[in-house]
Amino acid sequence: MSAARGRVVVVTGGTRGIGLGLAREFLARGARVVICGRSAASVEAALTQLRAGDRATGLPTDVSDRASVQALWDHAMATFGRVDVWVNNAGISTERVPLLATDMVKFDEVFSINVNGVVNGCAVAGQGMTSQPGGGWIWNMEGLGSNGQIQPGIAVYGASKRAVNYLTEALVKETKGTDVKIGFLSPGIVVTDLLVGDYGNDPEGFAKAKKIFNILGDKVETVTPFLADGVLKASKSGARVAWLTGPKAAKRFLTAGFTKRDLFQDT
């Protein structure tokens, strides 16, 4: 807990899923937390769940809008006086469809949140951290596609995450020698509404995918403690905190016949 005590952490998209789980874990380790979501109602509901009193606050934020993200930074500063860690977690996906059948409205929406939102968060947090003593950390969330993996049906989401990976690597180089440090967060396959929603129009595909998800996937409450600890312990810019590593995935497949898991029984 001492590693986080008193530190201020902003988590975008912190009202549900991995974001809410991260907020909860940072609070459990003594940090003060700022979250954002798309609506005031979602922010208030999340703060009620967190039950952290004056150690947690939030603001409705459109991460695709630079001014809205700046307002989130300003709110954090007005409330806690500084920001030590900024996590660009907010992200959306679409139902699985071939690229050539993708609705351009959906395409624009995914990139405006997943890519523009990350750029806005990095720019606002980076400028703010440059102006405060001690600088700070910016962490960007990876996802399927970040490392070049290709899967049919999720070209738009995968391309957005590949873009985030490139942008993050560029930021590591551009901030070298400064007090602003950059990190990669890789949660692996986590059972959230985002994951399930990808298969909203493909129940048969979901039935098949569940077999792999139950081998390689995990729940939010399993993954987020590991991610939070990794963020708080990191010391060198360019650090990657990855839950589902290659060796871990290989072990899961080797033991799949002996370990029965159903991560979707409550979904």
Side-chain angles (χ1 to χ4, degrees), residues 7 84-86 129 136-139 181-183 234-237 239:
R7 296 174 75 178
D84 299 288
V85 177
W86 182 288
M129 290 173 178
W137 274 88
I138 299 170
W139 293 84
K181 297 179 180 180
I182 310 298
S235 59
K236 184 178 180 181
S237 189

Side-chain angles (χ1 to χ4, degrees), residues 11-208:
V11 182
T12 69
T15 60
R16 63 180 185 174
I18 295 174
L20 182 60
L22 282 172
R24 181 176 290 111
E25 296 303 327
F26 286 127
L27 286 165
R29 287 154 178 75
R32 294 169 290 174
V33 170
V34 183
I35 61 171
C36 76
R38 290 188 175 191
S39 68
S42 67
V43 171
E44 287 304 315
L47 291 173
T48 298
Q49 290 185 59
L50 292 173
R51 300 178 183 177
D54 61 5
R55 290 201 302 119
T57 184
L59 192 73
T61 304
D62 176 2
V63 296
S64 69
D65 178 72
R66 180 72 60 90
S68 186
V69 177
Q70 184 65 56
L72 178 63
W73 172 274
D74 293 343
H75 176 74
M77 293 296 288
T79 305
F80 296 126
R82 65 177 289 116
V83 175
D84 299 288
V85 177
W86 182 288
V87 182
N88 284 311
N89 165 76
I92 61 172
S93 186
T94 63
E95 293 183 339
R96 299 172 74 91
V97 294
L99 177 61
L100 300 184
T102 298
D103 184 327
M104 286 307 297
V105 173
K106 291 290 187 182
F107 179 96
D108 290 342
E109 185 179 10
V110 169
F111 268 72
S112 70
I113 300 297
N114 294 9
V115 181
N116 296 1
V118 168
V119 173
N120 288 335
C122 289
V124 168
Q127 291 166 7
M129 290 173 178
T130 299
S131 303
Q132 70 181 9
W137 274 88
I138 299 170
W139 293 84
N140 292 338
M141 191 69 69
E142 295 188 318
L144 185 64
S146 292
N147 63 355
Q149 273 189 313
I150 307 295
Q151 276 197 17
I154 61 165
V156 176
Y157 176 81
S160 75
K161 286 299 182 179
R162 188 72 179 113
V164 167
N165 181 269
Y166 185 98
L167 291 167
T168 308
E169 291 188 6
L171 272 174
V172 172
K173 293 182 178 294
E174 292 175 358
T175 56
K176 185 177 181 180
T178 74
D179 286 335
V180 178
K181 297 179 180 180
I182 310 298
F184 303 78
L185 273 181
S186 182
I189 299 172
V190 184
V191 177
T192 64
D193 55 353
L194 187 71
L195 179 68
V196 176
D198 286 351
Y199 293 86
N201 63 351
D202 186 14
E204 291 185 3
F206 181 57
K208 295 177 181 178

